[in-house]
Amino acid sequence: MLDTCKLKSACNLPFVYNKKINTAGTSNAAVPLADPGMYQLDITLRRGQSLAARDRGGTSDPYVKFKIGGKEVFRSKIIHKNLNPVWEEKACILVEHLREPLYIKVFDYDFGLQDDFMGSAFLDLTQLELNRPTDVTLTLKDPHYPDHYLGIILLSIILTPKEGEHRDVFQTQSLRLSDVHRKSQLWRGIVSITLIEGRDLKAMDSNGLSDPYVKFRLGHQKYKSKIMPKTLNPQWREQFDFHLYEERGGIIDITAWDKDAGKRDDFIGRCQVDLSALSREQTHKLELQLEEGEGHLVLLVTLTASATVSISDLSVNSLEDQKEREEILRRYSPLRIFHNLKDVGFLQVKVIRAEGLMVADVTGKSDPFCVVELNNDRLLTHTVYKNLNPEWNKIFTFNIKDIHSVLEVTVYDEDRDRSADFLGKVAIPLLSIQNGEQKAYVLKNKQLTGPTKGVIYLEIDVIFNAVKASLRTLIPKEQKYIEEENRLSKQLLLRNFNRMKRCVMVLVNAAFYINSCFDWDSPPRSLAAFVLFLFVVWNFELYMIPLVLLLLLTWNYFLIISGKDNRQRDTVVEDMLEDEEEEDDKDDKDSEKKGFINKIYAIQEVCISVQNILDEVASFGERIKNTFNWTVPFLSWLAIAAFCVFTVILYFIPLRYIVLVWGINKFTKKLRSPYTIDNNELLDFLSRVPSDVQVVQYQELKPDPSHSPCKRKKNNLG
């Protein structure tokens, strides 16, 4: 049991005895004193000396983490641009036993990037004298470069045993603190930021212009705007949503950069937004002066209260409580269509247990915990130590803002001093969920293309308002702030090329087929085509276009229900090659190839762009095909409704009136709402249709026959 707490004035004992020790690198010895079961560790983080430079200016922005037993128990503030920082911060940590060393890690804060490692050390708690203040000097080391000198960290420490009634008090306090930390996973509000424009930014290129983009950071949440080429007055009109995890708000760090191909991007300037100074439930227009640079950024910032996102034990079940269940059903009933359009539905996920997980530790066991994600909502279970068949029995509840979202459940192995090891993952589209059914989901690899070891038992319920869900389909999707960086992969490039090739070949084959009708290769076919051509051209009206698409959707629907579905995805499955091993090998060779990589950096940027363009074009074609193939029935029915409406409108209303209304709306939109974000309803609709790659990723794998979950059905609430 360990937690940080505020250091009371009673804990600040005078330093009556100082002992200089350097315990970095010492091994844990047996505890030489009677273990009372609970200790209080009062630490004062004094300062650092001669720390390593990690920034281009020859300085760093250091901060310190304390960890015990793999858990972070304290994080210091950031000292900007200083290699000899002075913190003078206090922490009070409760420790069950002294065999776990205290790990100290120092990092350089890099906004918008991964923080740089500056060295680590550990303190053997068994070497401390009880009830005596001790000055500790720790030499920082990098395990990969043990000969490098990375500076020192100075601490003052008092170790105090807690016995009897004191122990009970501290255990109770730690339990309460543990509760607080668990709840801190829940976000308490939403910060919506609209990046409008930049004014008079600093010119960073030789042509007197810049290619600016903006990075936002709130805690560990990060966003990056699109790049606006060759301008000092960019117009972005982009929106980003952050989650507030603290009642008092927080500080949003904003930096502007100039994109440079082939070398490191240039820094234009920085500014901050103090959320605690802004009132809630209203939009604030901010014009922020860029520090360390030139120009302004114009933002709209709105703080709103959060919707319900929670985690609880299995004994607490919202849907099994009759009153709560009726309230949820009433909240999403068809009668409440226009009440809070963003609140589309309710999701409850029971994470019950997992079986047969992968071995991740040298002991032949793992320390698994589970992460449940829905868009930007991310909650965690507790860790079950030394177990390949863990039971979590936790319930997660989320508010659904988009019914086309995908629930991601990932199992990790907790490691003491490293990032967690991946054990398996499943991705479940909300529209594919069968309510109230306990299912065994086979865990997949990181790319979601094939199985890994183990299954996870989940029971999921979804309740939503279909009309709200349909309306939300026509607005842009929520952007995820935690996404993998684009990387160059020859397998991925080849796969995207093949997908693009298949889409193009469909058009080429169609063109050859039409041309063969003109060449009379098959007289009956050419004659039928000629008669059809005359009939269609003579009788053509504009409303026939959506009518033909409507008939195509209907034809495919009857093919599917009659069992004649001929949808093929085998080629896509074959193309989804595994490239995890390639990435591991690449990491080992990075140091040898750095010079070569730097030389071809610009080429790599171009290749990544080509890879992404191929993916976007192929995905666009596949999404159109999958709309007509009824891959997602909800979206296909929505398309049928839209085609029916368009057919009626085009039949009864002259085209010039329709174009006139469209043009007036387009020309006056900025006048009516100057800061509105443009969107295309058709593209927003297609963004909800999965590509062939996503169809494979979301496909459930058949569990091993030995895993037969106990199924139980409840009333279908969706």
Side-chain angles (χ1 to χ4, degrees):
M1 180 72 64
L2 52 94
D3 273 294
T4 55
C5 60
K6 292 183 179 178
L7 195 62
K8 307 295 183 183
S9 58
C11 296
N12 296 332
L13 300 177
F15 285 91
V16 296
Y17 172 75
N18 290 332
K19 178 183 178 183
K20 296 273 184 181
I21 61 174
N22 187 340
T23 56
T26 60
S27 61
N28 283 345
V31 181
L33 41 87
D35 190 348
M38 184 67 69
Y39 296 88
Q40 177 177 324
L41 191 62
D42 296 329
I43 304 176
T44 302
L45 173 61
R46 296 293 185 191
R47 62 187 185 276
Q49 291 182 359
S50 305
L51 300 185
R54 291 289 187 258
D55 294 339
R56 285 182 297 176
T59 63
S60 294
D61 306 315
Y63 67 92
V64 179
K65 291 181 183 180
F66 293 167
K67 299 179 76 174
I68 294 182
K71 302 284 189 182
E72 182 180 319
V73 294
F74 172 77
R75 180 181 297 204
S76 75
K77 63 187 177 184
I78 301 167
I79 305 295
H80 292 282
K81 301 187 185 315
N82 201 322
L83 299 183
N84 299 284
V86 177
W87 284 284
E88 292 297 337
E89 290 189 65
K90 295 180 172 63
C92 173
I93 302 171
L94 303 179
V95 187
E96 269 192 356
H97 54 78
L98 302 181
R99 292 182 178 85
E100 292 283 0
L102 173 69
Y103 281 85
I104 294 91
K105 289 188 168 186
V106 184
F107 293 90
D108 166 55
Y109 172 79
D110 275 336
F111 176 74
L113 303 169
Q114 184 174 354
D115 294 344
D116 296 321
F117 178 70
M118 296 178 62
S120 65
F122 71 86
L123 176 64
D124 187 352
L125 301 181
T126 64
Q127 303 298 317
L128 297 175
E129 295 185 48
L130 296 179
N131 300 311
R132 287 207 172 199
T134 305
D135 287 344
V136 179
T137 302
L138 297 174
T139 302
L140 298 174
K141 296 289 185 182
D142 186 339
H144 298 292
Y145 305 97
D147 297 333
H148 289 191
Y149 177 74
L150 301 177
I152 60 175
I153 292 291
L154 304 178
L155 310 172
S156 296
I157 298 177
I158 306 173
L159 181 65
T160 310
K162 298 296 173 185
E163 301 185 77
E165 59 183 19
H166 295 289
R167 178 187 173 189
D168 294 337
V169 169
F170 273 84
Q171 280 185 327
T172 305
Q173 183 187 35
S174 293
L175 287 170
R176 286 200 303 269
L177 287 166
S178 179
D179 251 2
V180 170
H181 282 206
R182 180 181 61 78
K183 290 177 182 176
S184 70
Q185 300 177 52
L186 313 182
W187 42 276
R188 297 177 170 85
I190 297 172
V191 184
S192 179
I193 294 183
T194 303
L195 174 60
I196 303 299
E197 62 188 5
R199 296 176 184 169
D200 303 321
L201 301 184
K202 187 176 181 180
M204 307 302 294
D205 297 337
S206 57
N207 58 6
L209 299 173
S210 293
D211 305 311
Y213 65 93
V214 178
K215 293 180 181 179
F216 299 87
R217 178 164 176 167
L218 176 61
H220 294 291
Q221 304 173 64
K222 302 175 186 177
Y223 273 122
K224 176 182 174 181
S225 76
K226 60 189 175 186
I227 300 167
M228 305 300 292
K230 296 181 174 56
T231 179
L232 299 181
N233 298 283
Q235 299 284 319
W236 281 287
R237 300 294 201 273
E238 289 186 83
Q239 182 175 337
F240 312 97
D241 287 339
F242 289 97
H243 289 164
L244 277 177
Y245 291 89
E246 301 177 16
E247 293 288 357
R248 63 181 180 275
I251 302 291
I252 296 181
D253 291 313
I254 304 170
T255 52
W257 300 82
D258 167 59
K259 180 66 178 177
D260 280 333
K263 57 181 180 179
R264 190 166 182 175
D265 296 346
D266 296 322
F267 176 75
I268 295 178
R270 74 170 71 237
C271 56
Q272 291 184 331
V273 176
D274 185 356
L275 298 178
S276 62
L278 302 179
S279 56
R280 295 186 177 239
E281 308 301 336
Q282 71 178 78
T283 299
H284 306 267
K285 182 182 177 183
L286 305 178
E287 296 187 16
L288 304 175
Q289 170 75 44
L290 290 176
E291 301 172 6
E292 305 174 36
E294 300 174 6
H296 295 77
L297 293 180
V298 181
L299 311 172
L300 298 180
V301 182
T302 308
L303 278 72
T304 57
S306 70
T308 305
V309 179
S310 66
I311 174 174
S312 60
D313 292 319
L314 204 59
S315 57
V316 182
N317 189 338
S318 298
L319 295 180
E320 287 183 359
D321 184 297
Q322 189 62 29
K323 288 185 178 179
E324 286 197 39
R325 180 170 171 269
E326 289 176 358
E327 172 60 27
I328 292 171
L329 288 171
R330 186 187 65 81
R331 181 172 158 190
Y332 301 108
S333 69
L335 300 177
R336 295 171 63 86
I337 295 173
F338 299 107
H339 181 76
N340 191 2
L341 287 176
K342 291 186 177 181
D343 187 13
V344 170
F346 172 85
L347 171 68
Q348 177 177 279
V349 184
K350 294 182 183 178
V351 180
I352 301 169
R353 67 185 188 279
E355 292 180 358
L357 295 179
M358 190 187 306
V359 173
D361 297 337
V362 292
T363 59
K365 299 287 184 181
S366 294
D367 303 320
F369 67 95
C370 195
V371 178
V372 183
E373 296 175 87
L374 184 71
N375 294 330
N376 288 319
D377 301 332
R378 187 174 190 267
L379 300 178
L380 290 73
T381 68
H382 61 283
T383 302
V384 179
Y385 292 98
K386 303 189 186 312
N387 201 319
L388 299 180
N389 302 290
E391 290 194 14
W392 291 290
N393 292 324
K394 293 291 182 184
I395 293 181
F396 301 85
T397 62
F398 301 89
N399 267 78
I400 299 171
K401 291 179 282 186
D402 189 347
I403 195 59
H404 309 289
S405 302
V406 178
L407 176 70
E408 296 182 0
V409 182
T410 312
V411 183
Y412 293 97
D413 168 68
E414 181 184 295
D415 271 340
R416 171 186 295 180
D417 201 34
R418 301 197 307 267
S419 59
D421 293 327
F422 176 86
L423 297 181
K425 179 178 183 179
V426 292
I428 309 166
L430 298 186
L431 285 171
S432 70
I433 290 169
Q434 297 294 321
N435 282 352
E437 180 180 357
Q438 185 184 130
K439 293 184 66 174
Y441 291 89
V442 177
L443 293 172
K444 295 184 176 183
N445 55 27
K446 285 185 179 179
Q447 284 74 33
L448 295 169
T449 54
T452 187
K453 194 173 181 184
V455 296
I456 186 168
Y457 290 83
L458 305 173
E459 185 179 320
I460 312 173
D461 290 276
V462 177
I463 301 173
F464 67 96
N465 184 298
V467 178
K468 286 185 183 180
S470 301
L471 294 175
R472 291 285 294 173
T473 304
L474 303 178
I475 65 175
K477 289 175 65 175
E478 180 181 2
Q479 185 179 359
K480 287 192 72 171
Y481 58 71
I482 302 177
E483 292 201 85
E484 291 186 1
E485 292 287 330
N486 291 327
R487 56 186 174 83
L488 183 61
S489 163
K490 64 180 181 181
Q491 285 95 341
L492 190 57
L493 185 62
L494 179 61
R495 186 180 79 193
N496 290 342
F497 176 78
N498 288 334
R499 292 168 59 207
M500 176 72 177
K501 180 180 175 182
R502 281 194 293 271
C503 293
V504 172
M505 288 308 297
V506 170
L507 300 178
V508 171
N509 291 335
F512 276 128
Y513 184 85
I514 294 171
N515 192 58
S516 69
C517 294
F518 296 131
D519 292 340
W520 293 84
D521 294 338
S522 172
R525 186 176 65 199
S526 296
L527 181 60
F530 181 59
V531 172
L532 181 64
F533 169 77
L534 294 176
F535 177 79
V536 169
V537 171
W538 185 257
N539 296 283
F540 178 77
E541 296 289 346
L542 199 60
Y543 71 85
M544 293 181 181
I545 295 176
L547 183 60
V548 169
L549 297 175
L550 180 62
L551 292 175
L552 178 59
L553 269 167
T554 307
W555 173 255
N556 280 341
Y557 176 74
F558 284 112
L559 282 179
I560 292 170
I561 63 174
S562 63
K564 298 179 180 178
D565 180 19
N566 58 354
R567 293 175 287 183
Q568 298 292 329
R569 296 194 188 96
D570 294 342
T571 52
V572 177
V573 177
E574 291 172 3
D575 288 344
M576 295 183 70
L577 303 173
E578 304 284 346
D579 54 1
E580 290 180 340
E581 294 181 5
E582 176 194 301
E583 289 303 306
D584 294 337
D585 294 340
K586 189 175 72 175
D587 290 341
D588 295 336
K589 298 173 184 176
D590 271 349
S591 58
E592 302 172 10
K593 295 186 175 181
K594 276 185 179 177
F596 178 69
I597 290 298
N598 288 334
K599 292 178 183 178
I600 65 167
Y601 183 83
I603 300 175
Q604 179 176 325
E605 288 282 320
V606 173
C607 290
I608 290 175
S609 299
V610 171
Q611 175 180 285
N612 293 338
I613 290 171
L614 289 174
D615 177 57
E616 289 178 11
V617 175
S619 295
F620 183 79
E622 291 167 355
R623 293 178 199 278
I624 295 174
K625 178 196 70 174
N626 290 337
T627 300
F628 289 93
N629 275 354
W630 291 80
T631 301
V632 181
F634 182 92
L635 291 171
S636 297
W637 282 115
L638 192 58
I640 282 182
F643 288 143
C644 289
V645 171
F646 292 151
T647 301
V648 172
I649 290 175
L650 290 172
Y651 184 80
F652 287 104
I653 303 176
L655 179 61
R656 62 179 176 274
Y657 293 149
I658 298 172
V659 175
L660 193 62
V661 170
W662 174 84
I664 291 173
N665 174 67
K666 203 71 176 173
F667 276 103
T668 61
K669 183 181 288 187
K670 292 297 180 184
L671 297 176
R672 290 181 281 113
S673 182
Y675 301 120
T676 188
I677 297 176
D678 288 329
N679 71 296
N680 185 301
E681 287 78 6
L682 177 60
L683 295 180
D684 291 333
F685 172 86
L686 288 175
S687 70
R688 267 62 173 208
V689 182
S691 65
D692 285 354
V693 171
Q694 291 172 319
V695 168
V696 174
Q697 290 176 337
Y698 302 158
Q699 197 171 23
E700 286 185 36
L701 300 178
K702 292 183 179 179
D704 191 281
S706 61
H707 298 292
S708 54
C710 176
K711 295 183 179 180
R712 66 180 183 84
K713 284 281 187 177
K714 299 189 301 187
N715 292 332
N716 193 308
L717 303 175

